[in-house]
Amino acid sequence: MRLQRALAAYENVNVMRLLPKTIKRALSSSVKAVKSAPRETFVERVSAGPGLKEFLNVKAVSKFKTAAQEEEIIPYLPLDSYNGKGRRVFFEVYGCQMNTNDTEVVLSILTANGYVKCDDIKQADVIMIVTCAVREGAETKIWNRLNHLKAMKEKRSSKKGPLQITVLGCMAERLKQRLLEKEKCVDVVAGPDSYKDLPRLLAISRHYQQSAINVLLSLDETYADVMPVRLNSESPTAFVSIMRGCDNMCTYCIVPFTRGRERSRDLESIKQEVIALRENGIKEVTLLGQNVNSYRDTSKETATAENVSTVPGFKTVYKPKIGGLPFSTLLQEVAKAVPDVRIRFTSPHPKDFSEDVLRVIRDYPNVCKNLHLPAQSGSNTVLERMRRGYTREAYLELVDTIRLYLPNVGLSSDFICGFCGETDHEFQDTVTLIEQVQYNVAFLFAYSMREKTTAYRKYKDDVPQEVKSQRLQRMVKAFRDGATELHRQYEGRKELILIEGKSKRSDDFVFGRNDANIKVIVPFQTLPKGKNGTTSSKRHIELGDFVVAKILESNSQVLKGEPLYLSSIEDFYSNV
């Protein structure tokens, strides 16, 4: 700017006459240097300045501010200000396994931008709440938590600098306006598809003392290029997200509106992540997705691309997906890549359990023989109102097919009682379905209405709360009776369990899970290595060990057993 003024003065003859000779000579040399320097092109000037994204997702300036105040607030920051420079981040995670995996993605992004994970909330500079919006109870818990954090923020010493509170995930997308208006303590709101934007959002909030928000849903973001940083580096288990979003549009469900449309990661990136986890000591991987078994890699053309229809008796609200590699191919490729690592997956939809998937589970010992088979209701009329795409009869036929392929399969399920208009007769159909199928694990809930869902627009939440509570207790009893009977069949059998930690009740016991994903508790002691191991090979049980245990006791929740020896997936199943 000074050189431009100098050039203007040099070219103004009247001004030059009034200047002393020494100043004239200095001005002349400066102008010659400016004229001889290469001129910056328009493209170069634009490239060096802020881009469009620097001006998006910033809270609008109040119309009551003065012109001078408005001029000071410019929604642009140089890229180096995105760096956290050692600011400490504390995470609170609510909800499903997908939220845990999302948190690990966020931690990876923030770590790469100079932030540091903190395990003590009192030492944190940034508190990140990863939220769930599936049920009202989860949201109520988070609203209460925000009130507590608001008081913490107000009491924070100015010497420590500002405490930033960030709300991430499904609740952030669903209630973005309420979070900013009702809870004045929230600095950043980020939806499930905008985690890569967090360093910028945090920088804007920190530098301009105003809220920053990005809840845009994406049609292609899968975070396949982000290697998650595990929250618990000591755990022998890990989650790998293979797809995001959901296209099913069940009338009660908020997920399609908070996480968007289905999109899948490419198969190779998933396989490489699983291999990297194995190399870092992981013994069990759970593949994650909102509708995990509808996975389809369409990233490139392939000669083996195929069209996969739904299970007979099931239908969808969307057109069948065409081309690409299906879930059965992914499951097989991952199982072959890491034969010494257990593979699980959740959460599937019954319509996508093709026989190809069942054959892969049957043929590969490291693919666990437990399936999550969410039914939601046992009544055909309720299933139709829920838009589940199947009948009770089709569901039971699928259960028979699964048990034909996998005789000792462990089944789990989801059930909702008290859905809009549910009568006593319709609810009784749910109870009889639970009794007939018998599940090892069940997630049982009373219905809570969610805004934006089809049920919110079309139906009335007309089942009284006390009726919902009574029905929930009846479902719990039906499940526990069936699980108790199922688990009794394990007594006397030898099961391979993966040790995950110490028992909550006593340090003298450890727990793991068997192939069917049932918790097994055994004494903490020394064991030989292998079925025919010698006394000299004995050592204490360690986290991540595969242990063969003989089951002695059971109930609806856990199995209790006697540990026999240390083993591996290959050795155990080769001797069965």
Side-chain angles (χ1 to χ4, degrees):
M1 186 62 75
R2 290 178 180 175
L3 291 177
Q4 290 175 345
R5 284 199 291 267
L7 182 60
Y10 180 78
E11 293 174 346
N12 189 323
V13 178
N14 293 327
V15 171
M16 290 296 289
R17 287 174 180 171
L18 301 175
L19 295 175
K21 289 183 179 180
T22 55
I23 296 179
K24 285 180 182 180
R25 283 195 296 270
L27 184 58
S28 176
S29 62
S30 297
V31 169
K32 287 178 182 178
V34 171
K35 288 186 174 182
S36 62
R39 295 187 63 186
E40 187 179 35
T41 66
F42 174 76
V43 173
E44 289 173 334
R45 291 199 303 275
V46 170
S47 300
L52 178 61
K53 70 175 185 178
E54 312 296 344
F55 295 88
L56 295 176
N57 304 313
V58 179
K59 189 176 179 181
V61 178
S62 170
K63 59 184 177 182
F64 298 108
K65 288 186 179 290
T66 64
Q69 288 174 315
E70 288 190 4
E71 192 173 341
E72 290 175 3
I73 301 178
I74 303 171
Y76 163 67
L77 289 170
L79 291 177
D80 61 356
S81 66
Y82 293 6
N83 193 289
K85 298 178 181 177
R87 286 175 64 79
R88 292 161 295 194
V89 183
F90 180 85
F91 291 97
E92 287 190 10
V93 187
Y94 298 84
C96 63
Q97 297 101 323
M98 182 63 79
N99 276 3
T100 301
N101 183 253
D102 277 5
T103 305
E104 294 177 339
V105 168
V106 170
L107 179 56
S108 177
I109 293 168
L110 294 181
T111 300
N113 283 272
Y115 288 85
V116 179
K117 181 175 176 289
C118 172
D119 294 324
D120 184 356
I121 193 170
K122 295 179 181 178
Q123 301 298 322
D125 301 304
V126 181
I127 298 174
M128 292 199 160
I129 305 178
V130 187
T131 64
C132 175
V134 173
R135 284 173 290 277
E136 186 177 2
E139 288 190 357
T140 301
K141 187 183 295 185
I142 292 163
W143 285 120
N144 294 335
R145 185 60 176 151
L146 286 174
N147 288 331
H148 176 77
L149 295 178
K150 183 178 181 180
M152 180 184 293
K153 186 173 183 177
E154 291 170 349
K155 293 177 182 178
R156 185 176 172 92
S157 170
S158 58
K159 294 180 181 179
K160 292 184 177 181
L163 173 63
Q164 292 179 285
I165 297 176
T166 301
V167 176
L168 310 179
C170 295
M171 187 174 168
E173 199 289 329
R174 194 178 88 80
L175 299 171
K176 42 195 174 287
Q177 286 300 119
R178 283 180 61 192
L179 283 167
L180 294 178
E181 293 171 3
K182 180 180 176 181
E183 298 298 332
K184 302 297 183 183
C185 67
V186 177
D187 299 288
V188 173
V189 177
D193 292 345
S194 58
Y195 297 147
K196 289 179 181 176
D197 198 29
L198 276 170
R200 185 185 70 87
L201 297 173
L202 288 166
I204 288 173
S205 171
R206 187 168 70 251
H207 284 273
Y208 296 112
Q209 289 80 54
Q210 60 180 353
S211 299
I213 180 172
N214 185 349
V215 292
L216 295 175
L217 292 175
S218 170
L219 291 175
D220 54 15
E221 181 61 82
T222 62
Y223 299 107
D225 56 338
V226 178
M227 180 62 74
V229 175
R230 295 172 59 228
L231 294 175
N232 183 0
S233 59
E234 295 182 357
S235 174
T237 66
F239 299 116
V240 174
S241 175
I242 68 168
M243 54 91 72
R244 302 179 74 85
C246 183
D247 289 345
N248 289 320
M249 300 300 292
C250 301
T251 59
Y252 58 84
C253 186
I254 192 68
V255 168
F257 303 96
T258 58
R259 288 190 174 266
R261 301 294 298 274
E262 278 184 16
R263 63 271 190 200
S264 300
R265 287 175 58 180
D266 65 283
L267 187 150
E268 194 59 33
S269 74
I270 296 167
K271 193 163 74 171
Q272 291 306 314
E273 183 175 341
V274 172
I275 291 171
L277 288 168
R278 190 268 308 274
E279 291 173 350
N280 282 285
I282 291 300
K283 299 294 184 66
E284 179 178 295
V285 168
T286 301
L287 306 178
L288 293 179
Q290 268 77 35
N291 187 177
V292 69
N293 53 341
S294 72
Y295 169 90
R296 184 167 291 272
D297 178 8
T298 58
S299 61
K300 50 185 175 292
E301 292 296 324
T302 171
T304 60
E306 54 185 293
N307 301 334
V308 177
S309 59
T310 56
V311 173
F314 290 72
K315 60 183 179 180
T316 66
V317 296
Y318 57 84
K319 294 180 180 178
K321 295 177 173 64
I322 299 173
L325 300 174
F327 181 68
S328 57
T329 302
L330 169 70
L331 195 59
Q332 184 176 32
E333 288 296 309
V334 170
K336 288 194 297 185
V338 288
D340 52 344
V341 175
R342 268 184 174 172
I343 308 298
R344 301 188 190 274
F345 58 90
T346 197
S347 175
H349 191 287
K351 67 179 172 59
D352 297 305
F353 273 116
S354 67
E355 293 194 31
D356 286 340
V357 172
L358 298 178
R359 277 190 284 269
V360 172
I361 298 171
R362 178 196 64 191
D363 295 342
Y364 287 85
N366 60 326
V367 181
C368 292
K369 278 57 180 176
N370 80 283
L371 299 181
H372 189 59
L373 205 63
Q376 308 302 352
S377 175
S379 164
N380 286 341
T381 50
V382 173
L383 288 170
E384 186 175 356
R385 291 200 297 276
M386 288 180 167
R387 201 193 282 151
R388 288 293 288 171
Y390 54 85
T391 62
R392 174 194 180 99
E393 291 73 24
Y395 181 89
L396 287 171
E397 187 175 343
L398 175 60
V399 170
D400 290 339
T401 301
I402 289 171
R403 285 180 166 155
L404 184 64
Y405 276 94
L406 309 167
N408 295 317
V409 67
L411 291 181
S412 60
S413 191
D414 299 334
F415 284 94
I416 297 171
C417 66
F419 184 67
C420 306
E422 183 184 65
T423 64
D424 288 337
H425 179 72
E426 289 171 331
F427 171 69
Q428 185 59 32
D429 286 342
T430 295
V431 174
T432 56
L433 181 68
I434 295 173
E435 292 172 340
Q436 183 173 347
V437 175
Q438 294 188 326
Y439 300 94
N440 299 93
V441 179
F443 303 93
L444 312 172
F445 304 99
Y447 175 69
S448 58
M449 180 76 81
R450 304 282 79 196
E451 294 177 19
K452 292 187 178 181
T453 62
T454 302
Y456 183 79
R457 298 192 306 271
K458 289 183 62 175
Y459 304 129
K460 184 178 179 181
D461 187 8
D462 54 0
V463 179
Q465 189 59 47
E466 59 271 21
V467 174
K468 289 180 182 178
S469 298
Q470 292 169 3
R471 290 178 180 175
L472 180 58
Q473 293 305 311
R474 288 177 61 191
M475 283 200 306
V476 169
K477 183 180 186 306
F479 155 68
R480 286 184 175 171
D481 289 346
T484 298
E485 186 176 336
L486 271 181
H487 292 178
R488 196 174 293 123
Q489 299 172 13
Y490 285 96
E491 293 179 9
R493 282 165 44 178
K494 293 177 182 178
E495 293 288 303
L496 183 69
I497 64 173
L498 174 63
I499 302 300
E500 297 181 29
K502 290 187 176 182
S503 171
K504 292 181 180 179
R505 295 188 177 182
S506 172
D507 288 346
D508 295 331
F509 291 83
V510 291
F511 79 92
R513 294 181 188 276
N514 69 352
D515 205 45
N517 206 29
I518 305 168
K519 192 173 184 179
V520 182
I521 298 174
V522 297
F524 177 54
Q525 59 188 49
T526 59
L527 296 177
K529 189 174 181 180
K531 186 176 182 180
N532 301 313
T534 61
T535 305
S536 60
S537 70
K538 280 190 172 184
R539 65 168 174 81
H540 268 94
I541 296 173
E542 296 177 358
L543 199 69
D545 279 340
F546 281 109
V547 171
V548 176
K550 183 177 180 180
I551 306 302
L552 303 177
E553 299 178 43
S554 67
N555 58 43
S556 64
Q557 303 297 312
V558 300
L559 306 175
K560 296 180 181 180
E562 173 193 359
L564 302 178
Y565 56 90
L566 303 171
S567 186
S568 66
I569 295 173
E570 183 181 1
D571 289 345
F572 177 75
Y573 287 103
S574 64
N575 293 318
V576 172

